[in-house]
Amino acid sequence: MEKNVYQNELNQVRYTAEGKAALKTALLTQSAFHSSRRRCGWGRRSLAGVLAAVLLIGTATAVAAPLWEAYFGSLSANERDLMEELSGELPPPVTCGGTTMKPLATFGADGVFYLMLEIQTPEGTMLPLLDGEDACYTLMDGKNLENRITLVNSNGLEEAEFLGYMIADDYLEDLDPDDNRIRMVVEIHADGTLVGKTLRIPGLWEINGEETVAIAEGEWLFPITESMSQELVWTLDAAGLTTETPYGPIVMDSLRISPVRVEYTYHYDEAVAEAAKEAERAIQEEDAVVGMVGEDGSTTPMAVSITPSAKLSLVMEDGSQMEFNGGFSSLGSGNRHQVSTTFAQPVALTEADYLLWGETRIPLT
């Protein structure tokens, strides 16, 4: 299913507390927190991390645009300037058990963080080029929940207890497959500030099909700072704008956009809510209720209710539309819905034309 369509459907679904717990456990067990851009698993822009919605975080530092082009692809001059503006100080290299993880480039903004690492294992340990669809290197062992990348606060406690966040780690193409060095990128999204947090990486693993091999295990800690001017966060006058959905109109309450994500709230009236309930009952009558099947074959029912929503996209001056890379959403009181969705790569808003919410255009000025 096309990603934006899938995200739109995901935004319309809510689960019971029991269903959420079952989903989280199943996704963890199936290495759902692992995402690899080049070689294996879900793919860099997959929504597996969005479904789990609880993982890792970031900081900013001096960025080399050519390095990031190996990750994002070609960047415009404005995008290169933007990434420089979002950059900050590089964390120092960290060595544990003879393996060094050295930050090469990093930038962060508005609850989003990217960190590029060069990983060097001890002399004599080769990191060969991996072949096959399901072969890759990863910074977390998806088969062991103790070996997850985590975010910790100043007290050393895992930040997932206090902050919603998610992570993907990506293995870049190996420039020299006959040496003991590779490059990895950590991509992080949070629903709050990352300042004062610390990224904890538990090691390096090789995944080849069903086989997972530990290459290095330990603790690599990288302090996080955000670097983003508030001038780059635009609050748009969108309150009261409406757009149509299959369940009636929805109304925008607030909207803000930055080069890395869009956050907005909207609401719908009681008639729309009743229509959603009717649709839910129809789904249940057709035996299409979502359930999570455990290893023992048992099924945990997950009650589904439909929240009216509309696709949001950023249309550029050349007519192209920027992709989103998942995010967070929540349903509040009074049928008010809050959504935070992240761009697949930083966007130079000076090259953007307008936001499209369903069929409604929202100008950026």
Side-chain angles (χ1 to χ4, degrees):
M1 182 181 293
E2 197 271 331
K3 188 192 67 174
N4 284 332
V5 175
Y6 181 72
Q7 178 63 51
N8 189 43
E9 294 299 319
L10 180 65
N11 285 343
Q12 298 184 54
V13 176
R14 289 180 287 121
Y15 300 110
T16 61
E18 295 79 7
K20 283 183 178 178
L23 177 62
K24 178 180 175 182
T25 300
L27 288 174
L28 281 167
T29 302
Q30 298 172 25
S31 306
F33 288 124
H34 175 69
S35 169
S36 176
R37 175 183 178 218
R38 297 291 184 182
R39 294 251 171 212
C40 70
W42 301 89
R44 179 165 79 87
R45 294 182 173 89
S46 88
L47 292 169
V50 177
L51 287 170
V54 279
L55 243 150
L56 162 49
I57 323 308
T59 172
T61 80
V63 63
L67 285 176
W68 287 117
E69 288 189 331
Y71 185 65
F72 293 116
S74 179
L75 300 171
S76 69
N78 284 340
E79 287 170 337
R80 287 185 173 217
D81 291 344
L82 172 65
M83 295 176 76
E84 294 291 349
E85 189 170 357
L86 299 180
S87 299
E89 182 181 356
L90 281 170
V94 178
T95 300
C96 182
T99 294
T100 299
M101 296 190 184
K102 176 185 177 181
L104 298 178
T106 182
F107 66 93
D110 200 25
V112 179
F113 172 69
Y114 294 86
L115 173 66
M116 184 181 293
L117 294 168
E118 178 187 78
I119 301 175
Q120 180 176 349
T121 54
E123 290 295 331
T125 304
M126 295 297 99
L127 296 174
L129 184 67
L130 301 179
D131 296 321
E133 281 290 318
D134 297 324
C136 67
Y137 293 105
T138 174
L139 299 173
M140 43 190 151
D141 177 9
K143 294 185 177 180
N144 183 348
L145 300 188
E146 296 301 316
N147 291 328
R148 294 182 294 113
I149 302 179
T150 54
L151 183 70
V152 297
N153 58 27
S154 58
N155 296 321
L157 300 176
E158 184 176 349
E159 194 61 33
E161 297 294 325
F162 315 97
L163 177 72
Y165 63 97
M166 53 195 173
I167 182 174
D169 70 324
D170 299 330
Y171 159 49
L172 297 181
E173 294 292 349
D174 196 346
L175 300 177
D176 184 354
D178 296 322
D179 65 7
N180 60 335
R181 302 185 186 194
I182 59 171
R183 292 178 301 160
M184 302 283 295
V185 171
V186 177
E187 180 179 338
I188 308 152
H189 309 278
D191 63 357
T193 181
L194 309 178
V195 175
K197 311 300 186 295
T198 297
L199 168 63
R200 175 189 174 274
I201 296 176
L204 177 67
W205 285 263
E206 175 188 337
I207 294 179
N208 203 330
E210 296 297 319
E211 183 180 13
T212 300
V213 178
I215 297 173
E217 295 184 73
E219 186 174 76
W220 289 259
L221 299 174
F222 298 98
I224 293 165
T225 59
E226 285 186 308
S227 175
M228 183 170 188
S229 169
Q230 285 302 112
E231 295 177 356
L232 297 178
V233 182
W234 300 353
T235 299
L236 304 181
D237 184 13
L241 292 177
T242 65
T243 195
E244 292 294 329
T245 78
Y247 307 101
I250 55 179
V251 183
M252 185 77 74
D253 295 309
S254 64
L255 173 64
R256 74 170 207 154
I257 184 172
S258 76
V260 292
R261 69 169 157 189
V262 178
E263 294 181 319
Y264 61 101
T265 60
Y266 67 91
H267 70 273
Y268 50 93
D269 61 26
E270 289 301 322
V272 173
E274 185 57 34
K277 292 178 183 178
E278 290 296 331
E280 178 184 27
R281 282 193 283 269
I283 292 174
Q284 293 173 342
E285 289 171 1
E286 295 173 5
D287 295 324
V289 178
V290 176
M292 181 61 65
V293 179
E295 293 183 357
D296 60 357
S298 62
T299 301
T300 301
M302 301 170 70
V304 177
S305 63
I306 298 173
T307 300
S309 66
K311 177 183 173 181
L312 183 74
S313 59
L314 180 64
V315 181
M316 308 302 289
E317 290 178 342
D318 62 5
S320 62
Q321 295 189 16
M322 294 302 301
E323 293 184 358
F324 288 108
N325 197 25
F328 299 86
S329 64
S330 60
L331 185 64
S333 60
N335 299 324
R336 185 160 272 100
H337 201 67
Q338 181 172 349
V339 180
S340 173
T341 186
T342 307
F343 292 117
Q345 69 181 66
V347 177
L349 296 180
T350 53
E351 298 178 3
D353 194 2
Y354 59 91
L355 282 162
L356 186 63
W357 188 41
E359 298 298 325
T360 301
R361 290 193 179 196
I362 305 174
L364 297 184
T365 55

